[in-house]
Amino acid sequence: MQASVARCKACKAQGKSLMIQVIVFENKRLTYLDQRFLPLKEVFVHTKDYRKVIEAIKTLAIRGAPLIGIAAAYAAALAVQAYKGKKSGLKRYFYHALSELDAARPTAVNLFWATARARAAFNRVYEQSDISTIAKAILEEAEAIHQKEVQNCDAIARHGTELLRRDFAHQLLQRRLTVLTHCNTGTLATGGIGTALGVIKQAYLEGLIEKVFVSETRPLLQGLRLTTFELEKEEIPYQAIADSSAGFLFQKGMIDLVITGADRIAANGDTANKIGTYTHAVNAAFHKRKFYVAAPLSTFDATLSCGEEILIEQRAGTELTSIYGRNVAPQKTPVLNYAFDITPATLISSIITERGVAEPDFKTSLAQIAAETKVLHHD
């Protein structure tokens, strides 16, 4: 912990944001930070078993849409690396491993995007390569995905900061801004500086933000446990709030804007994000405040026309009725525990991507950004 704080101060002195090491592939094994124990302790897990990565994704030891994609790609590499049979059985084995990965979480599209890239990399080299060469190709693809997400976060932070300067030019002549964020969208969720939290970090370093309000994010407290953990390390002023108190803070004029991440974005701009996001968007709209979404293009799913088509994960009721293993409700309490909700595009002011900012009408602007990106990738 002391080393992390020292790195933080060094980065801050250079006008940079801290990069917490949350996932690393070295010596044929994956090391990841088990986020279920934060902020009480930092527990790193080392594994060569892709199934352990699947379990980590299911249990939220690894979480956050971009980081899930990174972990899934590395898990695919681990799967090939562990294969001991003949090459004739490799494809069936590998495809089964990918299907197991796809079943880990249903909402975050980055997971399926990463496994699709792993499958494509496999098929490119399968016919002409031996198993060791195939394993190397899958690992290289995973490393490329990881590096790209880090770069995406840097670009999102840059575009987001420029957007704040544009949209709040008048206010910034008088004072710095207060921002509300929900869930965790920083290094712990992305492997890079972060998406929404990356924008906040960069904007703070550039003197645009005064303070961050962090909603607790019930029932698993990703805001209270994880976002505060990152802001504390980077010495960014913040206050944690109960999810249900945000409306009152809006009413009192204490919040200038909201910025969140996304786990999946439909073609029309409807956004799936951690449960409670929609409530913040409604509050922002009613109080005439900007509501921004920051997410990489890997989060977009052009196959879905609108948010109604996004599959929303339901999780165990015990996440709501118990806290750190202690029951806080009657034993037989029935629970409806949606992990995500849908924020309609009509409530979103702008969507910040690594390729620029999409404005309403999102169906047109997102399609244009996606098309331009494909052209650049082909170049």
Side-chain angles (χ1 to χ4, degrees):
M1 179 72 77
Q2 291 179 342
S4 295
V5 172
R7 287 198 305 273
C8 175
K9 291 179 177 179
C11 288
K12 191 173 181 182
Q14 299 171 33
K16 298 178 181 178
S17 180
L18 170 69
M19 286 287 287
I20 303 166
Q21 200 80 295
V22 294
I23 193 164
V24 177
F25 195 103
E26 286 181 336
N27 300 321
K28 295 187 175 182
R29 72 176 184 177
L30 185 67
T31 299
Y32 62 86
L33 177 61
D34 189 332
Q35 299 187 33
R36 294 172 298 178
F37 296 97
L38 293 174
L40 303 180
K41 54 184 177 179
E42 297 180 31
V43 176
F44 288 89
V45 178
H46 312 281
T47 185
K48 294 183 178 182
D49 185 352
Y50 80 92
R51 292 183 180 88
K52 191 160 187 176
V53 182
I54 291 173
E55 187 63 21
I57 293 171
K58 286 181 176 179
T59 60
L60 305 186
I62 295 173
R63 42 137 314 267
L67 191 66
I68 288 172
I70 293 167
Y74 282 131
L78 288 175
V80 179
Q81 178 182 291
Y83 181 71
K84 302 301 182 185
K86 296 180 179 179
K87 184 182 174 183
S88 59
L90 176 60
K91 179 174 284 191
R92 182 178 180 180
Y93 162 84
F94 184 64
Y95 276 30
H96 177 71
L98 293 182
S99 68
E100 290 181 282
L101 280 162
D102 284 342
R105 296 290 300 275
T107 302
V109 73
N110 302 65
L111 170 60
F112 311 107
W113 172 80
T115 56
R117 283 188 56 169
R119 184 179 291 105
F122 179 91
N123 289 331
R124 280 196 301 270
V125 300
Y126 176 74
E127 295 296 340
Q128 290 80 31
S129 303
D130 58 20
I131 294 176
S132 63
T133 304
I134 295 169
K136 181 181 178 182
I138 302 303
L139 177 57
E140 288 176 349
E141 187 70 16
E143 291 171 338
I145 288 172
H146 191 171
Q147 183 60 34
K148 181 61 176 174
E149 291 293 7
V150 171
Q151 294 169 353
N152 288 345
C153 287
D154 290 341
I156 288 169
R158 183 174 67 254
H159 292 307
T161 303
E162 292 170 355
L163 179 65
L164 294 185
R165 289 189 188 280
R166 184 198 76 184
D167 285 356
F168 292 91
H170 178 71
Q171 291 96 318
L172 287 169
L173 291 174
Q174 309 298 322
R175 60 177 177 81
R176 292 186 290 171
L177 305 171
T178 56
V179 56
L180 169 67
T181 192
H182 188 65
C183 199
N184 173 260
T185 56
T187 303
L188 295 171
T190 65
I193 186 178
T195 53
L197 196 56
V199 175
I200 290 170
K201 292 174 183 178
Q202 188 61 39
Y204 176 77
L205 288 173
E206 295 186 22
L208 308 185
I209 287 178
E210 177 72 28
K211 182 171 66 175
V212 185
F213 287 110
V214 181
S215 56
E216 57 180 341
T217 323
R218 282 286 292 153
L220 295 181
L221 305 175
Q222 292 96 329
L224 189 62
R225 295 187 302 108
L226 306 179
T227 298
T228 58
F229 176 80
E230 292 198 42
L231 293 173
E232 186 80 18
K233 278 184 175 291
E234 303 215 23
E235 299 181 342
I236 297 175
Y238 70 89
Q239 282 185 301
I241 63 170
D243 292 348
S244 55
S245 69
F248 185 55
L249 271 62
F250 276 110
Q251 188 182 63
K252 291 174 67 66
M254 297 171 66
I255 297 172
D256 292 313
L257 68 137
V258 185
I259 180 167
T260 73
D263 286 82
R264 185 176 291 204
I265 302 177
N268 71 337
D270 290 351
T271 302
N273 196 51
K274 185 57 59 182
I275 192 76
T277 302
Y278 172 59
T279 304
H280 292 323
V282 171
N283 273 318
F286 182 83
H287 293 93
K288 296 180 174 55
R289 295 292 187 267
K290 296 287 188 181
F291 182 92
Y292 301 123
V293 171
L297 289 171
S298 56
T299 303
F300 293 92
D301 190 347
T303 68
L304 303 180
S305 63
C306 65
E308 291 182 358
E309 299 175 13
I310 298 175
L311 178 63
I312 299 299
E313 177 183 1
Q314 293 189 45
R315 295 183 61 82
T318 53
E319 291 184 346
L320 191 66
T321 59
S322 66
I323 299 176
Y324 285 109
R326 182 174 181 177
N327 199 51
V328 294
Q331 193 67 36
K332 296 183 179 180
T333 299
V335 173
L336 179 61
N337 184 21
Y338 284 111
F340 304 92
D341 57 25
I342 303 296
T343 299
T346 52
L347 297 180
I348 299 172
S349 305
S350 303
I351 298 176
I352 308 161
T353 80
E354 71 270 28
R355 296 300 308 169
V357 176
E359 309 280 7
D361 159 22
F362 292 117
K363 186 174 183 179
T364 300
S365 58
L366 289 174
Q368 183 176 351
I369 289 175
E372 291 173 351
T373 302
K374 287 180 181 178
V375 170
L376 288 171
H377 284 175
H378 287 147
D379 289 346

